[in-house]
Amino acid sequence: MPGAPALPYPVSAVERWHGAPTVWTEDGVTACLSALGEPNVNIFVVNLASTTTEKTLRDLFASYGTVDTVRIMTDRETGRPRGFGFVEMQDGTAARAAIAGLQGHELDGRALTVNEARPREERGRPREDRREPRRPRW
């Protein structure tokens, strides 16, 4: 368009006509991000038995697609499992299929609750910063 600022990359037909974000690869091929799927979907798994291992959880989710990471959260002081964990999968479609398929699934004698993890919320400032500065006693 005349008078429009030049973009640092050529605009693809997909982006021009549909507004869909695109990615340029090294060989100059354009790929639509929505066609590539969402990268790394994080899944929140609740009601894990204390005997459930990361390998068991990985094997369960691997039947739906590629699993990147599995983390079972543990108590800082005792090191014992806290009953929940996170599974990260590469493909968003496979992750949603796993969420739907494993909701209520029994693993090690417990029915799992499986949801897509929400982004971690920012916590407020540390307690020391929230307080008003101390005034001298005298």
Side-chain angles (χ1 to χ4, degrees), residues 27-109:
D27 59 358
V29 175
T30 306
C32 180
L33 284 177
S34 60
L36 294 174
E38 298 173 19
N40 294 4
V41 176
N42 205 5
I43 302 169
F44 182 55
V45 185
V46 187
N47 202 23
L48 296 173
S50 60
T51 58
T52 303
T53 64
E54 289 183 354
K55 181 182 180 339
T56 307
L57 207 53
R58 178 181 295 276
D59 293 343
L60 181 65
F61 278 84
S63 62
Y64 289 91
T66 305
V67 176
D68 282 345
T69 59
V70 176
R71 293 182 319 257
I72 295 179
M73 307 316 285
T74 56
D75 186 86
R76 288 182 190 163
E77 295 174 9
T78 64
R80 295 178 60 165
R82 295 182 60 196
F84 69 95
F86 296 92
V87 177
E88 198 169 305
M89 296 182 77
Q90 288 181 352
D91 182 24
T93 307
R96 283 180 186 65
I99 291 169
L102 295 175
Q103 177 65 30
H105 178 81
E106 192 167 313
L107 178 66
D108 295 334

